[in-house]
Amino acid sequence: VPLWEVIHQSTTGSSKSTYFDTDGIARCLLVDTEPKVIRTALAGMNSYAPDAIIGDQSGRGNNWALGYCGGRSIQDPTTTVVDAVFESFRHQVESCDNFLGCTLVHSLAGGTGAGFGCRLAEVLRDDYPSTYLTSISIFPSAVGDTPLQHYNTTLSISWLQEFMDSILYFDNDDLMKLFTRPSARTTSDNNNDPPNVSMATLNRSIATAVASLVLPINGRPYDFIDSINSVTPMTNLKFCEVSCYPPMNGVFGSKPNVGEPDWLSMTSKLLNMIPKGRFSTVAAQLTVRSNDVNQSFPPHYKIIKEKVTRHLNCVSWNPFPLDIRLSVEHYGKKQNRSQPTITLLSNRTRIATRLAADLDCALAKFHARAYVHWYERYGCDDSMFESAFRSVSNIINDYKAAV
């Protein structure tokens, strides 16, 4: 929901048509199996179609298998949630003049985001085989949001690798570390108090980063196909981190711009936000937004390109590892539209480390037969686990071989 609020605040005129129809209704579906979440969505922005908010009577118990198998729609008990979502999705597609693809935003830890998200990805790929499908996935905290999260994450990654064209991801641990830095104090924080970090803050930062990436580029709709081709030169390497500076207005000392942006300083701050380590980058895309970007950025273009390429340790076999796009469109409310932003989409080998940690935990539990019966109850047998383990292992090995 925060993502659509940011996009709604940031687009005007013809640029809204990508995200909203002629009546101002958002081109999206909001799905959750928790009634409380549905009520919260209904109480928020009123730009959703009546059939765009879909729920169920109860959650999925953080169980990927239960989410994947589905349940009954709260709006129509005679149909499954999958059927209800797909019917609403078909209505959305039919209202488009030129439907090229869609984006699935979901978590990887629970039953609905992980299990049902994967089921939806599979159904969409089967019915729209030539459509570009992108996942924006949220990795759970490594210390554990739920004892089933390693199973759920591993199973989800296997499905997304098979059915999605690209996976853009965020990590809750990375976001928490980012916002607990002393430099992350907002303009309203007391200097003696630690930064106040809530789930709402993390959600808003994700919404800001995604909006900074997908808003129109100089009046033209954001082209996911172009980005996929840019950052995923190999179909088996499709996991991309998203980083944005500033992550939110008023954070890291950011203030609305009153003069020419300091692009070199902003680039340094963006790169400092990226988790460090001895990793390589397959490909990356930098999106730069400001009112005067076409005048103020070109003098620094070469220096910034070299700086980003060097910092990301781009692979030697890719002759064009970094694509830079400039746009005068901004994100956020009108009074903050003068805030320049830099957003980096990077396909890094770091993902192999995160996947390996989840896979190791999942394998250890599986060999001990821990919680396996909870999945078997809903049709997820040993063969599904073993297939997912092989798939994730192959992803890890492919990223290691890409260096």
Side-chain angles (χ1 to χ4, degrees):
V1 174
L3 173 59
W4 284 97
E5 292 175 350
V6 173
I7 292 176
H8 186 265
Q9 296 162 357
S10 306
T11 52
T12 58
S14 60
S15 64
K16 270 192 180 295
S17 63
T18 301
Y19 312 102
F20 298 86
D21 64 19
T22 54
D23 296 322
I25 302 300
R27 300 184 189 275
C28 75
L29 301 180
L30 305 180
V31 183
D32 204 294
T33 55
E34 290 283 358
K36 181 180 178 180
V37 178
I38 298 299
R39 289 194 295 267
T40 301
L42 288 170
M45 193 176 72
N46 59 357
S47 299
Y48 305 114
D51 64 344
I53 302 180
I54 301 168
D56 198 357
Q57 295 287 358
S58 60
R60 293 295 178 261
N62 293 318
N63 188 325
W64 184 94
L66 177 55
Y68 182 80
C69 291
R72 296 296 167 182
S73 169
I74 193 173
Q75 287 85 354
D76 182 2
T78 64
T79 65
T80 66
V81 178
V82 173
D83 294 333
V85 170
F86 191 73
E87 182 65 15
S88 295
F89 184 85
R90 185 179 60 80
H91 291 163
Q92 295 274 0
V93 172
E94 291 174 350
S95 69
C96 296
D97 294 329
N98 184 23
F99 175 67
L100 295 176
C102 69
T103 302
L104 180 67
V105 184
H106 61 119
S107 70
L108 298 176
T112 304
F116 181 77
C118 289
R119 177 66 180 276
L120 185 57
E122 182 179 341
V123 171
L124 291 175
R125 176 57 72 205
D126 287 344
D127 286 80
Y128 298 91
S130 60
T131 291
Y132 279 84
L133 301 179
T134 298
S135 164
I136 297 178
S137 303
I138 318 299
F139 276 91
S141 171
V143 296
D145 293 338
T146 162
L148 304 181
Q149 70 176 44
H150 302 108
Y151 282 154
N152 295 340
T153 299
T154 301
L155 288 162
S156 296
I157 292 300
S158 172
W159 253 253
L160 296 178
Q161 177 75 357
E162 180 175 357
F163 297 111
M164 288 291 175
D165 294 295
S166 63
I167 299 105
L168 282 53
Y169 72 90
F170 296 86
D171 190 308
N172 278 341
D173 282 339
D174 291 344
L175 294 172
M176 188 62 70
K177 290 176 184 177
L178 178 65
F179 282 96
T180 52
R181 293 180 183 180
S183 58
R185 300 184 189 279
T186 66
T187 52
S188 61
D189 282 340
N190 185 302
N191 289 334
N192 296 322
D193 295 334
N196 182 22
V197 183
S198 64
M199 289 306 298
T201 298
L202 301 186
N203 288 340
R204 176 63 68 168
S205 71
I206 292 172
T208 297
V210 174
S212 299
L213 181 69
V214 305
L215 286 178
I217 301 293
N218 296 321
R220 297 177 62 86
Y222 177 73
D223 189 347
F224 260 113
I225 300 174
D226 173 68
S227 289
I228 292 171
N229 292 336
S230 230
V231 298
T232 57
M234 302 171 68
T235 56
N236 57 330
L237 307 177
K238 59 178 74 173
F239 290 82
C240 303
E241 298 178 39
V242 185
S243 306
C244 177
Y245 182 85
M248 292 196 307
N249 283 319
V251 179
F252 290 88
S254 62
K255 299 178 180 179
N257 184 42
V258 294
E260 184 174 299
D262 187 347
W263 293 117
L264 293 176
S265 174
M266 289 182 64
T267 302
S268 296
K269 292 176 180 178
L270 171 70
L271 296 178
N272 286 336
M273 289 168 51
I274 298 174
K276 296 178 174 59
R278 301 182 65 179
F279 307 112
S280 298
T281 301
V282 174
Q285 187 176 75
L286 195 69
T287 303
V288 185
R289 298 181 182 274
S290 174
N291 287 333
D292 64 347
V293 67
N294 293 321
Q295 292 76 41
S296 63
F297 190 83
H300 309 290
Y301 184 96
K302 183 176 180 181
I303 295 175
I304 289 177
K305 186 171 185 177
E306 292 175 350
K307 184 174 186 175
V308 174
T309 303
R310 184 171 59 253
H311 184 91
L312 294 179
N313 188 28
C314 295
V315 294
S316 59
W317 52 261
N318 187 351
F320 306 105
L322 179 63
D323 176 35
I324 298 181
R325 307 180 307 166
L326 310 182
S327 179
V328 296
E329 270 92 5
H330 294 260
Y331 75 86
K333 297 180 180 179
K334 292 182 179 179
Q335 61 267 30
N336 294 323
R337 292 283 286 278
S338 60
Q339 172 69 64
T341 62
I342 301 183
T343 308
L344 180 66
L345 186 63
S346 54
N347 190 340
R348 304 174 69 206
T349 58
R350 177 173 176 261
I351 187 62
T353 302
R354 175 62 208 239
L355 295 184
D358 284 312
L359 178 61
D360 288 345
C361 289
L363 282 170
K365 291 181 179 180
F366 182 75
H367 291 149
R369 307 302 293 176
Y371 308 111
V372 173
H373 61 287
W374 290 6
Y375 290 77
E376 291 176 335
R377 185 181 304 170
Y378 301 103
C380 184
D381 57 19
D382 284 8
S383 65
M384 293 179 70
F385 277 108
E386 291 165 355
S387 176
F389 295 152
R390 287 193 299 271
S391 175
V392 175
S393 179
N394 288 337
I395 297 171
I396 295 169
N397 293 334
D398 287 343
Y399 268 99
K400 289 180 179 179
V403 178

